[in-house]
């Protein structure tokens, strides 16, 4: 039976990835994130739900005879929209005792006064946005249409390390890389590109460098779900601290499994039982205590327990059956991006599904480009990146944001077109917000 990818289904239904995943989970259909797949049958079930929810078009038909004006709008813009002379609006306003110039923003109250005089209706922002975005999504959908190609294959888990400051996140990452890094095998040198791969017992694991909570907040703000597993580091001599709790909450709200690394076990004052006790207060009950939370005692200094920790990561990863379609067109998430002298915009991306090739046209957040070159996490130039590979890509027009998604598109022209649409929309949004704010200030002063 063929499988349906969640983000594809979300796109088809015009719903948010997260909304769809939540709905699936409510229906007891297993779906970890937007990269997961479900069966066609399951897709049909959920489709019905969303189709039922679609609003009827009656309301829109009602207002179709009249022009819709969406605030904020200036006198001049209104005149243009109504195809009348702006002086007739100004005259009308003066007759109501309102002095207005052509560049004046009209607040909603004045606008509703004018609506009855000039026979138009006031639309709300979301309505226009929706129409805009529906139109836009249709075009984008057409371009990005992408059926899963070929066979699915197991993919490496993407892991973040979280925890309270000084509990040893960096030290644990360093310890892991020192012993398990790809560089020794591939003869490269680990580059700091925001993510790196390590190999444990022939299993590849991708680690994000960004401390977990930053990655989570920044990326989740953009709706990205780039983490499969979280390692929660708790110092055995310090216990659960505020940022530990924060990290637990982030992982839980993103529905990411947590593996606890009880660190600094080499210290004489280490007290792992106290850590386990404190964790129970946050509903993380260790396996030895009858719960299902994996706790691994480690020391980043002596490296004791690091192998066990990686063993647990591969175990949890296998349990979650992470899959990708290497023959698909590439897509994934931006981990970090910057402007580099002589190189231009450089973005580190994680290829989460499909393959990314040098020469591919990509849409990346609201920018685009042709992949001119790719550099792997061990500093090697590569021509092809399969799931899951962290790579630096060169050739983008502008700097994307961490958490933006990227996607290979048929050609650069289309990429540019979509990117420009997105940018324009963002600009409008900003303008709208600013205008709303300045109008508020204006009235506060009165
Ligand atoms: P982060 O803020 O969570 O990234 O913590 P760091 O990795 O920077 O570690 C904070 C401090 O704890 C450093 O001085 C480390 O040397 C020390 N440290 C980290 N792991 C261990 C460990 O396993 N044992 C001991 N004794 N010290 C550790
Ligand atoms: Mg650190």
């Amino acid at each position: 039976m063929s499988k349906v990818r969640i983000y594809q289904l979300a796109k088809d239904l015009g719903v948010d990835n997260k909304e769809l995943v939540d709905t699936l989970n409510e229906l007891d259909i297993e779906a970890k994130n937007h990269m997961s797949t479900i069966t066609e049958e399951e897709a049909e079930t959920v489709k019905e739900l969303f189709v039922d929810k679609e609003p009827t078009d009656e309301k829109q038909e009602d207002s179709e005879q009249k022009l819709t004006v969406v605030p904020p709008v200036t006198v001049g813009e209104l005149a243009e929209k109504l195809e009348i002379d702006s002086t007739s609006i100004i005259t009308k306003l003066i007759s109501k005792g309102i002095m207005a110039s052509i560049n004046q923003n009209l607040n909603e109250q004045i606008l509703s006064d004018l609506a009855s005089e000039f026979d138009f209706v006031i639309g709300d922002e979301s309505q226009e946005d929706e129409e805009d975005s529906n139109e836009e999504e249709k075009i984008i959908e057409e371009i990005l249409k992408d059926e899963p190609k070929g066979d699915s294959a197991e993919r490496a888990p993407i892991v973040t390390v979280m925890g309270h400051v000084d509990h040893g996140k960096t030290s644990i990452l360093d310890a892991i890389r020192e012993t398990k890094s790809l560089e020794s095998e591939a003869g490269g040198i680990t580059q700091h590109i925001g993510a790196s791969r390590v190999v444990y017992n022939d299993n590849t694991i991708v680690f994000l460098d960004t401390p977990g909570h930053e990655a989570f907040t920044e990326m989740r703000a953009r709706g990205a779900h780039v983490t499969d597993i979280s390692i929660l580091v708790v110092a055995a001599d310090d216990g659960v601290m505020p940022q530990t709790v924060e990290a637990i909450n982030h992982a839980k709200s993103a529905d990411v499994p947590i593996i606890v690394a009880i660190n600094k076990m080499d210290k004489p004052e280490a007290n792992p039982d106290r850590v386990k006790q404190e964790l129970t207060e946050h509903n993380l009950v260790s396996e030895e205590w009858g719960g299902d939370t994996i706790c691994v005692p480690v020391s980043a200094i002596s490296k004791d327990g690091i192998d066990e920790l990686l063993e647990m990561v591969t175990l949890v990863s296998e349990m979650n059956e992470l899959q990708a379609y290497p023959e698909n067109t590439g897509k994934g998430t931006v981990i970090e991006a910057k402007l580099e002298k002589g190189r231009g915009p450089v973005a580190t991306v994680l290829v989460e599904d499909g393959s990314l090739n040098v020469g591919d046209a990509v849409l990346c957040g609201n920018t685009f480009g042709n992949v001119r070159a790719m550099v792997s996490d061990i500093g090697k130039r590569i021509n092809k990146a399969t799931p899951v590979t962290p790579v630096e890509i060169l050739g983008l027009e502008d700097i994307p944001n961490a958490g933006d998604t990227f996607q290979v598109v048929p050609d650069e022209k289309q990429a540019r077109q979509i990117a420009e649409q997105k940018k324009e929309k963002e600009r409008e949004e900003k303008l709208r917000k600013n205008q709303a704010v300045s109008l508020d200030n204006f009235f506060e002063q009165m």
Side-chain angles (χ1 to χ4, degrees), residues 168-189:
K169 298 179 291 291
T170 305
S171 306
I172 285 181
L173 269 176
D174 287 348
I176 291 171
R177 282 203 200 103
E178 249 169 61
T179 48
K180 311 291 173 201
S181 165
L182 270 183
E183 66 185 87
S184 43
E185 290 176 27
I189 291 168

Side-chain angles (χ1 to χ4, degrees), residues 292-417:
D292 57 9
T293 302
I294 299 170
C295 293
V296 188
V298 303
S299 166
I301 301 289
S302 72
K303 312 238 179 5
D304 281 334
I306 296 293
D307 274 2
E308 284 84 347
L309 182 62
L310 294 173
E311 179 76 45
M312 291 305 146
V313 171
T314 53
L315 203 87
V316 171
S317 158
E318 273 163 25
M319 259 161 38
N320 283 316
E321 291 179 10
L322 304 168
Q323 303 277 313
Y325 294 77
E327 287 166 46
N328 260 11
T329 46
K331 56 184 72 68
T333 311
V334 177
I335 301 303
E336 58 179 43
K338 54 185 182 288
L339 192 65
E340 270 184 33
K341 222 176 160 184
R343 296 174 92 201
V346 178
T348 296
V349 302
L350 272 184
V351 181
E352 289 167 81
D353 195 14
S355 292
L356 182 65
N357 296 285
V358 167
D360 279 347
V362 289
L363 176 68
C364 188
N366 61 14
T367 187
F368 68 98
N370 249 325
V371 179
R372 203 172 64 226
M374 293 197 284
V375 182
S376 78
D377 53 331
I378 51 168
K380 294 222 152 166
R381 283 245 178 181
I382 55 173
N383 289 319
K384 185 187 188 79
T386 52
V388 175
T389 313
V391 276
E392 263 188 353
I393 60 173
L394 275 64
L396 293 177
E397 284 277 314
D398 206 348
I399 312 162
N401 296 303
D404 278 343
T405 51
F406 79 89
Q407 150 122 42
V408 172
V409 290
D411 62 61
E412 195 177 343
K413 206 174 124 225
Q414 286 173 331
R416 177 192 294 269
Q417 197 185 339

Side-chain angles (χ1 to χ4, degrees), residues 164-172 263-267 298-301:
H164 197 70
V165 64
D166 283 346
H167 278 197
K169 298 179 291 291
T170 305
S171 306
I172 285 181
N263 190 33
K264 307 201 186 184
M265 287 299 289
D266 58 289
K267 285 196 161 187
V298 303
S299 166
I301 301 289

Side-chain angles (χ1 to χ4, degrees), residues 148-314:
K149 268 185 247 123
D151 295 329
S152 66
E154 217 173 284
R155 68 164 175 85
I158 303 164
V159 181
T160 49
V161 179
M162 310 172 97
H164 197 70
V165 64
D166 283 346
H167 278 197
K169 298 179 291 291
T170 305
S171 306
I172 285 181
L173 269 176
D174 287 348
I176 291 171
R177 282 203 200 103
E178 249 169 61
T179 48
K180 311 291 173 201
S181 165
L182 270 183
E183 66 185 87
S184 43
E185 290 176 27
I189 291 168
T190 310
Q191 303 287 298
H192 281 276
I193 67 168
S196 51
R197 289 168 296 172
V198 301
V199 177
Y200 174 76
N201 277 354
D202 291 337
N203 294 305
T204 304
I205 306 169
V206 178
F207 282 92
L208 295 190
D209 289 343
T210 335
H213 48 260
E214 277 171 47
F216 266 85
T217 37
E218 195 171 347
M219 293 190 188
R220 290 215 71 215
R222 301 196 149 73
H225 299 258
V226 263
T227 307
D228 299 308
I229 297 167
S230 252
I231 294 181
L232 178 69
V233 180
V234 189
D237 62 339
D238 203 22
V240 170
M241 298 301 278
Q243 285 166 296
T244 317
V245 178
E246 209 176 280
I248 294 171
N249 292 336
H250 278 312
K252 279 192 175 162
S253 68
D255 205 17
V256 172
I258 294 172
I259 296 174
V260 179
I262 304 179
N263 190 33
K264 307 201 186 184
M265 287 299 289
D266 58 289
K267 285 196 161 187
E269 59 272 41
N271 186 350
D273 279 348
R274 191 185 114 205
V275 173
K276 286 178 195 165
Q277 174 58 46
E278 289 169 349
L279 285 171
T280 60
E281 287 159 32
H282 302 279
N283 292 323
L284 294 178
V285 181
S286 84
E287 284 183 313
E288 305 98 294
W289 292 7
D292 57 9
T293 302
I294 299 170
C295 293
V296 188
V298 303
S299 166
I301 301 289
S302 72
K303 312 238 179 5
D304 281 334
I306 296 293
D307 274 2
E308 284 84 347
L309 182 62
L310 294 173
E311 179 76 45
M312 291 305 146
V313 171
T314 53

Side-chain angles (χ1 to χ4, degrees), residues 89-109:
I89 296 176
I90 294 173
T91 317
K92 185 56 78 189
L93 288 171
I94 290 172
S95 77
K96 291 173 182 291
I98 301 162
M99 302 302 287
S101 69
I102 191 160
N103 292 321
Q104 196 104 28
N105 262 317
L106 295 164
N107 70 24
E108 283 195 41
Q109 199 188 325

